[in-house]
């Protein structure tokens, strides 16, 4: 589980915007950039090249919450 204090200071490395924590998928989501950054061994991998592009369905689901 990722530390709450770390979540509070992390920002998207591309747009510098806030990130959304998806605990069940162990990812940090940037809505504007439509990217998911993996969390491996409780360490966020904040590299643009390692980020996963979100599908249209995933993005739509984020905005419905």
């Amino acid at each position: 589980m990722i530390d709450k204090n770390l979540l509070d200071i992390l920002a998207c490395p591309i747009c510098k915007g806030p990130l959304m924590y998806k605990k069940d998928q162990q990812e940090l989501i940037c809505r504007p950039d439509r990217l998911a950054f993996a969390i491996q061994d409780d360490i966020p991998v904040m590299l643009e090249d390692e980020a996963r592009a979100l599908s249209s369905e995933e993005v739509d689901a984020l905005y419905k919450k």
Side-chain angles (χ1 to χ4, degrees), residues 10-12 15-20 29-32:
L10 280 176
C12 174
C15 72
K16 311 300 185 236
L19 296 166
M20 179 183 208
I29 307 292
C30 177
R31 286 188 199 184

Side-chain angles (χ1 to χ4, degrees), residues 9-59:
I9 61 171
L10 280 176
C12 174
I14 301 160
C15 72
K16 311 300 185 236
L19 296 166
M20 179 183 208
Y21 179 44
K22 299 296 273 183
K23 184 178 180 179
D24 56 327
Q25 297 171 332
Q26 286 297 290
E27 292 180 322
L28 294 170
I29 307 292
C30 177
R31 286 188 199 184
D33 292 320
R34 298 176 174 216
L35 293 174
F37 298 93
I39 299 172
Q40 299 173 351
D41 299 322
D42 294 331
I43 300 169
V45 181
M46 304 303 292
L47 301 171
E48 183 177 1
D49 293 343
E50 298 288 324
R52 178 177 70 82
L54 297 175
S55 68
S56 298
E57 292 82 15
E58 289 175 303
V59 173

